[in-house]
Amino acid sequence: VLSVPGDLDDEEETIFEFLAANENTQDYASALFGKWHLGGANTSETDPIDNGVPYFAGTLQGGINNYNRWDLTTVSIDSSVETVRSLEYNTSKLTDLATDWIAAQDSPWFVWLAYSSPHSPFHWPDEALHTRTGQTETTCANASTNDNEAVLRECYLAMIEAMDTEIGNLLNSMTDEERANTIVIYVGDNGTPVQVRDASLLGADQAKASLHEGGVRTPLIISGFGVGREGERETRMVSVTDLYATIAELAGSDVHSVNDSI
């Protein structure tokens, strides 16, 4: 039996620590918004700071039980920890926090924005954030209880569109000049959960937590300054591990390979 620790080793050099220590990238301000999800069962409120994140605002665990009522933890290297109960829609609040932080910066910056959405609990976001129709918060809740996959998928798609709307709001908060000098990396961490999969494409054993396409094929979209392959697809296999060295190089580092990251 192999026992795998559920937390991030403090001795590991995170991308935040790498940027701060590298001579060519030290002018970057950086922050993490959203879910930390790297501390296992023993997550402490200072875990992000202990692992080199200069400013953190979000949730320490991987999931939340209610998108409209959740615990928001804020901590930075020069301030005390504060945890409050937020009654604002999680996707929108995280966007606002990131937007305000970016607006306050007077140097180059790196933001890691880790939305909880579209993770369960599947729900019906405010209709100002999406264009889908036909469901309500009640029908989404009932579908979760009754395992109504058709309804749950509609709720899931509304959550995705709401997140997409908020990403647009974040980008639109920047000036044209700032947006033209920004690189956006959008990535998912796993395949579609079985109860919200497109059943016409995937069987119940071919979604998240499987090695089928529905479990391992995830989105990776890179856009913005310096991306010269507009509209092209990369056909080689890519690992999120490679984002470490890629982000470091984009920020000005002359190191092209870090550990297993290329």
Side-chain angles (χ1 to χ4, degrees):
V1 176
L2 177 65
S3 177
V4 180
D7 56 347
L8 177 65
D9 191 331
D10 290 351
E11 298 302 313
E12 296 292 343
E13 185 178 43
T14 65
I15 184 62
F16 297 94
E17 292 169 316
F18 183 93
L19 293 176
N22 189 283
E23 180 180 359
N24 296 327
T25 61
Q26 287 178 338
D27 59 339
Y28 269 77
S30 56
L32 194 162
F33 299 92
K35 59 181 179 181
W36 173 243
H37 201 21
L38 292 171
N42 301 314
T43 305
S44 76
E45 291 182 312
T46 61
D47 265 9
I49 302 305
D50 295 340
N51 285 281
V53 179
Y55 183 84
F56 170 79
T59 53
L60 295 170
Q61 300 297 331
I64 53 178
N65 294 324
N66 188 316
Y67 274 74
N68 293 299
R69 189 172 65 253
W70 51 282
D71 289 337
L72 167 61
T73 297
T74 304
V75 59
S76 66
I77 56 176
D78 55 3
S79 68
S80 59
V81 177
E82 179 184 47
T83 297
V84 299
R85 178 59 57 90
S86 175
L87 301 179
E88 297 181 56
Y89 184 55
N90 180 265
T91 303
S92 298
K93 180 62 174 178
L94 295 178
T95 303
D96 292 343
L97 289 167
T99 298
D100 292 344
W101 185 89
I102 290 172
Q105 303 312 305
D106 57 6
S107 68
W109 49 263
F110 165 62
V111 164
W112 174 354
L113 175 53
Y115 288 108
S116 290
S117 191
H119 197 282
S120 60
F122 305 119
H123 59 272
W124 196 246
D126 188 309
E127 293 185 356
L129 295 173
H130 63 92
T131 59
R132 307 194 74 82
T133 59
Q135 304 303 328
T136 65
E137 184 60 33
T138 299
T139 60
C140 291
N142 290 340
S144 295
T145 302
N146 301 325
D147 292 327
N148 187 328
E149 293 184 359
V151 173
L152 283 178
R153 180 165 171 79
E154 284 299 306
C155 303
Y156 182 71
L157 294 176
M159 292 171 64
I160 291 176
E161 188 175 344
M163 178 179 64
D164 184 63
T165 297
E166 289 295 10
I167 293 173
N169 289 337
L170 174 62
L171 294 175
N172 288 335
S173 72
M174 303 178 195
T175 64
D176 291 343
E177 181 181 16
E178 185 173 26
R179 193 163 56 246
N181 196 40
T182 298
I183 300 166
V184 179
I185 301 174
Y186 176 92
V187 62
D189 63 345
N190 52 243
T192 306
V194 61
Q195 64 269 51
V196 292
R197 75 195 189 285
D198 184 341
S200 68
L201 298 176
L202 299 174
D205 61 345
Q206 297 176 327
K208 177 181 175 179
S210 81
L211 294 179
H212 291 273
E213 290 291 280
V216 299
R217 184 184 288 272
T218 62
L220 171 61
I221 303 168
I222 304 178
S223 179
F225 176 78
V227 179
R229 299 173 57 192
E230 182 176 353
E232 291 189 27
R233 288 179 178 266
E234 175 57 68
T235 59
R236 294 174 296 179
M237 293 188 73
V238 178
S239 170
V240 291
T241 303
D242 296 321
L243 294 181
Y244 190 123
T246 301
I247 291 168
E249 184 175 333
L250 290 171
S253 168
D254 56 3
V255 177
H256 308 302
S257 177
V258 184
N259 298 325
D260 291 329
S261 183
I262 300 173

